[in-house]
């Protein structure tokens, strides 16, 4: 297998895993699969991470994520 094929498969797997997190969090159902809402929420998260509140947000979200992973 060629190097570019391996890298492409790694990228594809990574993207699928990220999409799985969106589904696992229940966002697809909560938004009725409205991609504008999902994208808007992601943009809001990105803006929050670039603000002066980024450290607090990261700590809060990391704790919630770890708690959710441990619960399942």
């Amino acid at each position: 297998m060629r190097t570019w094929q391996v890298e492409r498969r790694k990228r594809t797997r990574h993207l699928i895993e990220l999409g799985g997190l969106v589904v696992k969090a229940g966002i697809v159902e909560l938004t009725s699969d409205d991609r504008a809402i999902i994208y808007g929420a992601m943009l809001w998260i990105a803006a929050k991470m670039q603000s002066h509140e980024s450290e607090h947000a990261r700590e809060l979200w990391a704790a919630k994520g770890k708690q959710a992973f441990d619960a399942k």
Side-chain angles (χ1 to χ4, degrees):
M1 192 174 306
R2 296 190 171 141
T3 304
W4 67 268
Q5 290 173 312
V6 171
E7 291 304 314
R8 187 172 138 202
R9 286 185 178 179
K10 284 182 187 177
R11 181 180 181 274
T12 299
R13 179 175 176 85
H14 182 72
L15 293 174
I16 290 168
E17 289 172 349
L18 292 173
L21 291 174
V22 173
V23 173
K24 191 172 188 167
I27 293 170
V28 174
E29 291 82 18
L30 291 170
T31 63
S32 300
D33 200 12
D34 186 324
R35 291 159 193 215
I37 294 173
I38 295 169
Y39 186 45
M42 289 180 184
L43 291 173
W44 178 80
I45 292 167
K48 189 75 153 177
M49 293 180 81
Q50 294 173 354
S51 76
H52 67 280
E53 300 174 353
S54 67
E55 190 60 37
H56 175 70
R58 286 173 189 267
E59 290 172 4
L60 176 67
W61 295 335
K64 285 184 140 324
K66 288 175 187 171
Q67 183 181 29
F69 276 132
D70 291 344
K72 293 190 178 195

